[in-house]
């Protein structure tokens, strides 16, 4: 059985890597914390309704004098139903798989040799897994679709060979946004670059003018309630953000990224933050690869953070990591599990481009 950490790339001898702490964790792109871009709702344990008071009818007519007729007036409402679904991450490791690797120097001695908890090896595993869990959460709340299928299978968009079980836990935000703009077509801005017939063509077509026109069209399509809130922001793929920055540079306009919150930088369009969500590009190119093209590689959303709701039963969005050693099986286990749901709270208070 293979170990969790791949040692096959290393030559193991007295002259090579002897201390697992000599391994350098190569920093790659990972997702930001969920609460940077979403509103978290803890305590969502089971199906639960959220009620909204939306608007009311007209009031105020000409005075009627004696015996007036009461005016017909009511308050409109709507609801959103949370339906959190269970997820889990369950991993095991046998210490014997680490023999003849650099990890042997980090292992315990004697009877406890099979117990990898509280070792340098496990510390590295936990560090890498923590980032993988954060990525999983973005894949869950944005890219999941209960009808997921591989490319070529009944119109599927998941890269061929990738297990769709990683993508079918809930209906994520991209699925919900597609439904929203189908029902309310005035909120959709088509991106012509996505329709090109090759990956190179798709990327080349998202040039500086295309990015500027995209953001402009989205801004002026925004419902009046969204425009007047003062809280809207653009969430865009890196491809759109880069092209828009090039537009600003070409016009001689200051294009420096400003710190929106810690870990999140943004450009601005007419005072509205333009936030590149780098993890979207990474996941689209990895998991929405149709072969000759990517499925909608350029995406942009104009929305309020409050409208992107993520509900969990616990206070911790990512669950609690449980690590233990079982003496009977002589294996080490890592478990995370919880429930989660993602909801657009108002499918009319947004503009989506795809």
């Amino acid at each position: 059985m293979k170990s969790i950490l791949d040692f096959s790339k290393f030559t193991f001898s007295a002259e090579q890597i002897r201390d697992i702490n000599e391994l350098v964790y190569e920093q790659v792109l990972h997702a930001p914390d969920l609460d940077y871009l979403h509103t978290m709702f803890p305590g969502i344990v089971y199906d639960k309704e959220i009620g909204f008071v939306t608007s009311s009818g007209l009031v105020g007519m000409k005075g009627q004098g004696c015996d007036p007729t009461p005016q017909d007036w009511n308050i409109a409402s709507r609801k959103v139903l949370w339906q959190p679904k269970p997820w889990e991450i369950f991993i095991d490791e046998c210490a014997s798989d680490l023999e003849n690797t650099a990890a042997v120097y980090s292992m315990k001695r004697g009877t406890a040799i099979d117990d990898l908890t509280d070792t340098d090896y496990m510390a590295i595993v936990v560090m890498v897994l923590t980032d993988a869990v954060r990525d999983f959460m973005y894949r869950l709340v944005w890219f999941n679709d209960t009808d997921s299928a591989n490319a070529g299978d009944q119109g599927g968009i998941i890269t061929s060979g990738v297990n769709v079980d990683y993508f079918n836990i809930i209906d994520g935000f991209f699925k919900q946004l597609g439904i929203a703009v189908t029902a309310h077509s005035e909120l959709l801005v088509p991106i012509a670059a996505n329709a090109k017939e090759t990956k190179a063509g798709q990327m080349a077509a998202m040039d500086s003018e295309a990015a500027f026109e995209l953001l402009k069209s989205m801004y002026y399509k925004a419902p009046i309630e969204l425009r007047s809130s003062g809280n809207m922001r653009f969430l865009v793929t890196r491809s759109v953000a880069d092209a828009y920055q090039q537009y600003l540079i070409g016009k001689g306009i200051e294009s420096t990224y400003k710190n929106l919150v810690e870990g999140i930088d943004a450009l601005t369009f007419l005072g509205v933050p333009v936030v590149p969500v780098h993890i979207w590009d990474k996941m689209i190119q990895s998991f929405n690869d149709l072969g000759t093209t990517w499925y909608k590689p350029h995406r942009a959303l104009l929305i309020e953070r409050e409208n992107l709701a993520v509900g969990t039963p616990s206070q911790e969005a990512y669950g609690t990591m449980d690590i233990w050693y079982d003496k009977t099986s002589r294996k080490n286990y890592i478990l995370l599990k919880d429930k989660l749901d993602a909801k657009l709270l108002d499918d009319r208070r947004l503009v989506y481009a795809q």
Side-chain angles (χ1 to χ4, degrees):
M1 181 177 175
K2 293 174 59 178
S3 61
I4 293 174
L5 180 54
D6 180 10
F7 287 96
S8 64
K9 306 299 187 297
F10 310 124
T11 302
F12 178 69
S13 74
E15 302 302 322
Q16 302 297 328
I17 296 173
R18 287 180 56 92
D19 189 342
I20 196 167
N21 286 325
E22 293 178 15
L23 296 175
V24 177
Y25 181 29
E26 184 178 49
Q27 292 293 328
V28 296
L29 173 65
H30 289 291
D33 285 339
L34 278 177
D35 55 4
Y36 285 155
L37 301 181
H38 315 85
T39 300
M40 305 303 297
F41 286 79
I44 307 300
V45 179
Y46 191 64
D47 293 5
K48 180 179 180 180
E49 292 181 351
I50 304 177
F52 294 88
V53 173
T54 57
S55 61
S56 66
L58 298 175
V59 294
M61 294 182 175
K62 182 190 298 184
Q64 301 180 56
C66 296
D67 297 320
T69 301
Q71 298 173 19
D72 184 14
W73 182 71
N74 58 66
I75 301 173
S77 63
R78 63 182 180 83
K79 70 177 182 181
V80 170
L81 177 63
W82 287 110
Q83 294 178 301
K85 295 296 186 290
W87 60 266
E88 72 173 27
I89 298 168
F90 186 49
I91 300 169
D92 69 344
E93 177 77 281
C94 183
S96 63
D97 296 327
L98 304 178
E99 294 176 358
N100 300 320
T101 73
V104 72
Y105 293 105
S106 74
M107 294 166 65
K108 298 174 183 178
R109 299 291 181 261
T111 304
I113 191 170
D114 293 323
D115 183 357
L116 298 175
T117 62
D118 300 319
T119 63
D120 290 341
Y121 174 78
M122 188 59 72
I124 290 177
V125 170
V126 169
M127 177 177 63
V128 179
L129 181 57
T130 299
D131 283 336
V133 172
R134 186 178 290 113
D135 290 355
F136 156 64
M137 287 296 169
Y138 270 78
R139 191 179 73 243
L140 178 59
V141 303
W142 284 97
F143 288 84
N144 260 229
D145 180 346
T146 53
D147 297 319
S148 287
N150 288 116
D153 296 341
Q154 299 177 347
I157 63 170
I158 303 301
T159 304
S160 179
V162 174
N163 189 341
V164 296
D165 287 344
Y166 290 111
F167 293 87
N168 60 12
I169 300 173
I170 63 171
D171 285 331
F173 287 126
F174 284 132
K175 172 76 172 287
Q176 295 177 53
L177 288 167
I179 294 172
V181 296
T182 298
H184 312 294
S185 58
E186 71 279 6
L187 304 178
L188 172 66
V189 177
I191 298 179
N194 284 338
K196 300 302 179 181
E197 296 181 351
T198 65
K199 292 173 181 175
Q202 288 176 317
M203 302 315 289
M206 182 48 67
D207 57 20
S208 59
E209 287 293 333
F212 172 74
E213 291 298 327
L214 171 63
L215 297 181
K216 183 175 75 171
S217 179
M218 293 177 70
Y219 181 89
Y220 288 109
K221 269 183 173 280
I224 189 64
E225 295 84 2
L226 179 60
R227 283 272 300 274
S228 62
S229 73
N231 294 323
M232 64 182 184
R233 59 175 65 167
F234 290 97
L235 304 180
V236 303
T237 53
R238 182 79 214 197
S239 60
V240 173
D242 283 350
Y244 176 54
Q245 186 179 38
Q246 292 168 18
Y247 174 86
L248 295 176
I249 292 172
K251 299 297 182 180
I253 301 172
E254 174 61 45
S255 63
T256 304
Y257 277 93
K258 302 295 191 300
N259 189 256
L260 185 62
V261 295
E262 184 180 355
I264 299 291
D265 293 329
L267 298 165
T268 59
F269 180 91
L270 297 179
V272 179
V274 179
V275 184
V277 188
H278 310 76
I279 199 68
W280 285 359
D281 300 75
K282 179 181 177 181
M283 290 189 173
I284 290 168
Q285 293 178 23
S286 297
F287 307 129
N288 289 162
D289 188 342
L290 304 181
T292 57
T293 62
W294 288 299
Y295 180 74
K296 300 183 181 4
H298 313 294
R299 305 181 195 185
L301 174 64
L302 183 58
I303 200 167
E304 296 152 302
R305 173 175 171 268
E306 292 77 11
N307 202 359
L308 296 171
V310 177
T312 67
S314 57
Q315 296 292 328
E316 297 293 330
Y318 308 114
T320 301
M321 194 178 299
D322 190 10
I323 304 172
W324 74 95
Y325 169 65
D326 178 64
K327 293 182 180 180
T328 302
S329 65
R330 299 182 185 175
K331 287 186 176 182
N332 300 267
Y333 296 94
I334 304 175
L335 175 67
L336 294 90
K337 62 185 303 182
D338 208 338
K339 291 183 177 181
L340 181 143
D341 198 8
K343 292 295 183 187
L344 277 176
L345 296 186
D346 190 340
D347 66 356
R348 291 178 176 267
R349 204 174 173 108
L350 57 92
V351 179
Y352 181 46
Q354 63 174 5

mmCIF file with all atom_site columns, all heavy atoms in Angstrom, residues 126-138:
data_model
loop_
_atom_site.group_PDB
_atom_site.id
_atom_site.type_symbol
_atom_site.label_atom_id
_atom_site.label_alt_id
_atom_site.label_comp_id
_atom_site.label_asym_id
_atom_site.label_entity_id
_atom_site.label_seq_id
_atom_site.pdbx_PDB_ins_code
_atom_site.Cartn_x
_atom_site.Cartn_y
_atom_site.Cartn_z
_atom_site.occupancy
_atom_site.B_iso_or_equiv
_atom_site.pdbx_formal_charge
_atom_site.auth_seq_id
_atom_site.auth_comp_id
_atom_site.auth_asym_id
_atom_site.auth_atom_id
_atom_site.pdbx_PDB_model_num
ATOM 1   N N   . VAL A 1 126 ? -0.982  16.744 8.149  1.00 0.00 ? 126 VAL A N   1
ATOM 2   C CA  . VAL A 1 126 ? -2.066  17.623 8.588  1.00 0.00 ? 126 VAL A CA  1
ATOM 3   C C   . VAL A 1 126 ? -1.967  18.991 7.921  1.00 0.00 ? 126 VAL A C   1
ATOM 4   O O   . VAL A 1 126 ? -2.971  19.576 7.515  1.00 0.00 ? 126 VAL A O   1
ATOM 5   C CB  . VAL A 1 126 ? -2.059  17.754 10.123 1.00 0.00 ? 126 VAL A CB  1
ATOM 6   C CG1 . VAL A 1 126 ? -2.999  18.864 10.580 1.00 0.00 ? 126 VAL A CG1 1
ATOM 7   C CG2 . VAL A 1 126 ? -2.447  16.429 10.774 1.00 0.00 ? 126 VAL A CG2 1
ATOM 8   N N   . MET A 1 127 ? -0.760  19.512 7.777  1.00 0.00 ? 127 MET A N   1
ATOM 9   C CA  . MET A 1 127 ? -0.576  20.816 7.149  1.00 0.00 ? 127 MET A CA  1
ATOM 10  C C   . MET A 1 127 ? -1.081  20.805 5.709  1.00 0.00 ? 127 MET A C   1
ATOM 11  O O   . MET A 1 127 ? -1.811  21.707 5.277  1.00 0.00 ? 127 MET A O   1
ATOM 12  C CB  . MET A 1 127 ? 0.910   21.202 7.189  1.00 0.00 ? 127 MET A CB  1
ATOM 13  C CG  . MET A 1 127 ? 1.226   22.517 6.496  1.00 0.00 ? 127 MET A CG  1
ATOM 14  S SD  . MET A 1 127 ? 2.976   22.976 6.661  1.00 0.00 ? 127 MET A SD  1
ATOM 15  C CE  . MET A 1 127 ? 3.770   21.623 5.778  1.00 0.00 ? 127 MET A CE  1
ATOM 16  N N   . VAL A 1 128 ? -0.719  19.766 4.961  1.00 0.00 ? 128 VAL A N   1
ATOM 17  C CA  . VAL A 1 128 ? -1.148  19.687 3.564  1.00 0.00 ? 128 VAL A CA  1
ATOM 18  C C   . VAL A 1 128 ? -2.644  19.400 3.481  1.00 0.00 ? 128 VAL A C   1
ATOM 19  O O   . VAL A 1 128 ? -3.357  19.970 2.647  1.00 0.00 ? 128 VAL A O   1
ATOM 20  C CB  . VAL A 1 128 ? -0.340  18.609 2.817  1.00 0.00 ? 128 VAL A CB  1
ATOM 21  C CG1 . VAL A 1 128 ? -0.809  18.511 1.365  1.00 0.00 ? 128 VAL A CG1 1
ATOM 22  C CG2 . VAL A 1 128 ? 1.148   18.925 2.869  1.00 0.00 ? 128 VAL A CG2 1
ATOM 23  N N   . LEU A 1 129 ? -3.140  18.533 4.359  1.00 0.00 ? 129 LEU A N   1
ATOM 24  C CA  . LEU A 1 129 ? -4.559  18.196 4.343  1.00 0.00 ? 129 LEU A CA  1
ATOM 25  C C   . LEU A 1 129 ? -5.431  19.408 4.659  1.00 0.00 ? 129 LEU A C   1
ATOM 26  O O   . LEU A 1 129 ? -6.520  19.560 4.100  1.00 0.00 ? 129 LEU A O   1
ATOM 27  C CB  . LEU A 1 129 ? -4.844  17.070 5.338  1.00 0.00 ? 129 LEU A CB  1
ATOM 28  C CG  . LEU A 1 129 ? -6.298  16.588 5.425  1.00 0.00 ? 129 LEU A CG  1
ATOM 29  C CD1 . LEU A 1 129 ? -6.813  16.116 4.076  1.00 0.00 ? 129 LEU A CD1 1
ATOM 30  C CD2 . LEU A 1 129 ? -6.436  15.491 6.475  1.00 0.00 ? 129 LEU A CD2 1
ATOM 31  N N   . THR A 1 130 ? -4.963  20.279 5.536  1.00 0.00 ? 130 THR A N   1
ATOM 32  C CA  . THR A 1 130 ? -5.728  21.477 5.887  1.00 0.00 ? 130 THR A CA  1
ATOM 33  C C   . THR A 1 130 ? -6.008  22.327 4.652  1.00 0.00 ? 130 THR A C   1
ATOM 34  O O   . THR A 1 130 ? -7.127  22.812 4.449  1.00 0.00 ? 130 THR A O   1
ATOM 35  C CB  . THR A 1 130 ? -4.970  22.301 6.941  1.00 0.00 ? 130 THR A CB  1
ATOM 36  O OG1 . THR A 1 130 ? -4.808  21.515 8.125  1.00 0.00 ? 130 THR A OG1 1
ATOM 37  C CG2 . THR A 1 130 ? -5.722  23.571 7.285  1.00 0.00 ? 130 THR A CG2 1
ATOM 38  N N   . ASP A 1 131 ? -5.002  22.495 3.797  1.00 0.00 ? 131 ASP A N   1
ATOM 39  C CA  . ASP A 1 131 ? -5.211  23.239 2.556  1.00 0.00 ? 131 ASP A CA  1
ATOM 40  C C   . ASP A 1 131 ? -6.134  22.479 1.610  1.00 0.00 ? 131 ASP A C   1
ATOM 41  O O   . ASP A 1 131 ? -6.971  23.073 0.918  1.00 0.00 ? 131 ASP A O   1
ATOM 42  C CB  . ASP A 1 131 ? -3.874  23.510 1.866  1.00 0.00 ? 131 ASP A CB  1
ATOM 43  C CG  . ASP A 1 131 ? -3.095  24.640 2.521  1.00 0.00 ? 131 ASP A CG  1
ATOM 44  O OD1 . ASP A 1 131 ? -3.727  25.491 3.173  1.00 0.00 ? 131 ASP A OD1 1
ATOM 45  O OD2 . ASP A 1 131 ? -1.865  24.671 2.373  1.00 0.00 ? 131 ASP A OD2 1
ATOM 46  N N   . ALA A 1 132 ? -5.995  21.146 1.574  1.00 0.00 ? 132 ALA A N   1
ATOM 47  C CA  . ALA A 1 132 ? -6.849  20.344 0.703  1.00 0.00 ? 132 ALA A CA  1
ATOM 48  C C   . ALA A 1 132 ? -8.312  20.439 1.128  1.00 0.00 ? 132 ALA A C   1
ATOM 49  O O   . ALA A 1 132 ? -9.212  20.458 0.274  1.00 0.00 ? 132 ALA A O   1
ATOM 50  C CB  . ALA A 1 132 ? -6.386  18.885 0.723  1.00 0.00 ? 132 ALA A CB  1
ATOM 51  N N   . VAL A 1 133 ? -8.563  20.529 2.427  1.00 0.00 ? 133 VAL A N   1
ATOM 52  C CA  . VAL A 1 133 ? -9.940  20.652 2.919  1.00 0.00 ? 133 VAL A CA  1
ATOM 53  C C   . VAL A 1 133 ? -10.524 22.004 2.508  1.00 0.00 ? 133 VAL A C   1
ATOM 54  O O   . VAL A 1 133 ? -11.691 22.104 2.105  1.00 0.00 ? 133 VAL A O   1
ATOM 55  C CB  . VAL A 1 133 ? -9.986  20.478 4.446  1.00 0.00 ? 133 VAL A CB  1
ATOM 56  C CG1 . VAL A 1 133 ? -11.383 20.803 4.983  1.00 0.00 ? 133 VAL A CG1 1
ATOM 57  C CG2 . VAL A 1 133 ? -9.599  19.058 4.836  1.00 0.00 ? 133 VAL A CG2 1
ATOM 58  N N   . ARG A 1 134 ? -9.714  23.062 2.592  1.00 0.00 ? 134 ARG A N   1
ATOM 59  C CA  . ARG A 1 134 ? -10.198 24.378 2.181  1.00 0.00 ? 134 ARG A CA  1
ATOM 60  C C   . ARG A 1 134 ? -10.559 24.367 0.690  1.00 0.00 ? 134 ARG A C   1
ATOM 61  O O   . ARG A 1 134 ? -11.581 24.926 0.284  1.00 0.00 ? 134 ARG A O   1
ATOM 62  C CB  . ARG A 1 134 ? -9.132  25.434 2.474  1.00 0.00 ? 134 ARG A CB  1
ATOM 63  C CG  . ARG A 1 134 ? -9.613  26.860 2.214  1.00 0.00 ? 134 ARG A CG  1
ATOM 64  C CD  . ARG A 1 134 ? -8.565  27.890 2.555  1.00 0.00 ? 134 ARG A CD  1
ATOM 65  N NE  . ARG A 1 134 ? -8.359  27.963 3.988  1.00 0.00 ? 134 ARG A NE  1
ATOM 66  C CZ  . ARG A 1 134 ? -7.245  27.594 4.611  1.00 0.00 ? 134 ARG A CZ  1
ATOM 67  N NH1 . ARG A 1 134 ? -6.235  27.111 3.906  1.00 0.00 ? 134 ARG A NH1 1
ATOM 68  N NH2 . ARG A 1 134 ? -7.130  27.699 5.917  1.00 0.00 ? 134 ARG A NH2 1
ATOM 69  N N   . ASP A 1 135 ? -9.720  23.721 -0.126 1.00 0.00 ? 135 ASP A N   1
ATOM 70  C CA  . ASP A 1 135 ? -10.041 23.587 -1.545 1.00 0.00 ? 135 ASP A CA  1
ATOM 71  C C   . ASP A 1 135 ? -11.335 22.805 -1.741 1.00 0.00 ? 135 ASP A C   1
ATOM 72  O O   . ASP A 1 135 ? -12.168 23.152 -2.593 1.00 0.00 ? 135 ASP A O   1
ATOM 73  C CB  . ASP A 1 135 ? -8.905  22.875 -2.280 1.00 0.00 ? 135 ASP A CB  1
ATOM 74  C CG  . ASP A 1 135 ? -7.639  23.718 -2.388 1.00 0.00 ? 135 ASP A CG  1
ATOM 75  O OD1 . ASP A 1 135 ? -7.674  24.892 -1.968 1.00 0.00 ? 135 ASP A OD1 1
ATOM 76  O OD2 . ASP A 1 135 ? -6.635  23.203 -2.892 1.00 0.00 ? 135 ASP A OD2 1
ATOM 77  N N   . PHE A 1 136 ? -11.487 21.733 -0.977 1.00 0.00 ? 136 PHE A N   1
ATOM 78  C CA  . PHE A 1 136 ? -12.697 20.912 -1.074 1.00 0.00 ? 136 PHE A CA  1
ATOM 79  C C   . PHE A 1 136 ? -13.942 21.748 -0.810 1.00 0.00 ? 136 PHE A C   1
ATOM 80  O O   . PHE A 1 136 ? -14.970 21.586 -1.486 1.00 0.00 ? 136 PHE A O   1
ATOM 81  C CB  . PHE A 1 136 ? -12.613 19.753 -0.073 1.00 0.00 ? 136 PHE A CB  1
ATOM 82  C CG  . PHE A 1 136 ? -13.947 19.185 0.334  1.00 0.00 ? 136 PHE A CG  1
ATOM 83  C CD1 . PHE A 1 136 ? -14.778 18.563 -0.590 1.00 0.00 ? 136 PHE A CD1 1
ATOM 84  C CD2 . PHE A 1 136 ? -14.388 19.278 1.642  1.00 0.00 ? 136 PHE A CD2 1
ATOM 85  C CE1 . PHE A 1 136 ? -16.010 18.041 -0.214 1.00 0.00 ? 136 PHE A CE1 1
ATOM 86  C CE2 . PHE A 1 136 ? -15.614 18.763 2.032  1.00 0.00 ? 136 PHE A CE2 1
ATOM 87  C CZ  . PHE A 1 136 ? -16.421 18.140 1.097  1.00 0.00 ? 136 PHE A CZ  1
ATOM 88  N N   . MET A 1 137 ? -13.882 22.647 0.165  1.00 0.00 ? 137 MET A N   1
ATOM 89  C CA  . MET A 1 137 ? -15.049 23.454 0.491  1.00 0.00 ? 137 MET A CA  1
ATOM 90  C C   . MET A 1 137 ? -15.461 24.339 -0.686 1.00 0.00 ? 137 MET A C   1
ATOM 91  O O   . MET A 1 137 ? -16.650 24.505 -0.968 1.00 0.00 ? 137 MET A O   1
ATOM 92  C CB  . MET A 1 137 ? -14.774 24.306 1.730  1.00 0.00 ? 137 MET A CB  1
ATOM 93  C CG  . MET A 1 137 ? -14.756 23.511 3.015  1.00 0.00 ? 137 MET A CG  1
ATOM 94  S SD  . MET A 1 137 ? -16.374 22.781 3.342  1.00 0.00 ? 137 MET A SD  1
ATOM 95  C CE  . MET A 1 137 ? -15.983 21.657 4.672  1.00 0.00 ? 137 MET A CE  1
ATOM 96  N N   . TYR A 1 138 ? -14.495 24.904 -1.395 1.00 0.00 ? 138 TYR A N   1
ATOM 97  C CA  . TYR A 1 138 ? -14.838 25.707 -2.572 1.00 0.00 ? 138 TYR A CA  1
ATOM 98  C C   . TYR A 1 138 ? -15.374 24.830 -3.696 1.00 0.00 ? 138 TYR A C   1
ATOM 99  O O   . TYR A 1 138 ? -16.296 25.221 -4.423 1.00 0.00 ? 138 TYR A O   1
ATOM 100 C CB  . TYR A 1 138 ? -13.621 26.514 -3.035 1.00 0.00 ? 138 TYR A CB  1
ATOM 101 C CG  . TYR A 1 138 ? -13.544 27.866 -2.375 1.00 0.00 ? 138 TYR A CG  1
ATOM 102 C CD1 . TYR A 1 138 ? -13.083 27.988 -1.065 1.00 0.00 ? 138 TYR A CD1 1
ATOM 103 C CD2 . TYR A 1 138 ? -13.960 29.016 -3.021 1.00 0.00 ? 138 TYR A CD2 1
ATOM 104 C CE1 . TYR A 1 138 ? -13.029 29.214 -0.436 1.00 0.00 ? 138 TYR A CE1 1
ATOM 105 C CE2 . TYR A 1 138 ? -13.905 30.253 -2.413 1.00 0.00 ? 138 TYR A CE2 1
ATOM 106 C CZ  . TYR A 1 138 ? -13.443 30.353 -1.103 1.00 0.00 ? 138 TYR A CZ  1
ATOM 107 O OH  . TYR A 1 138 ? -13.405 31.567 -0.484 1.00 0.00 ? 138 TYR A OH  1
#
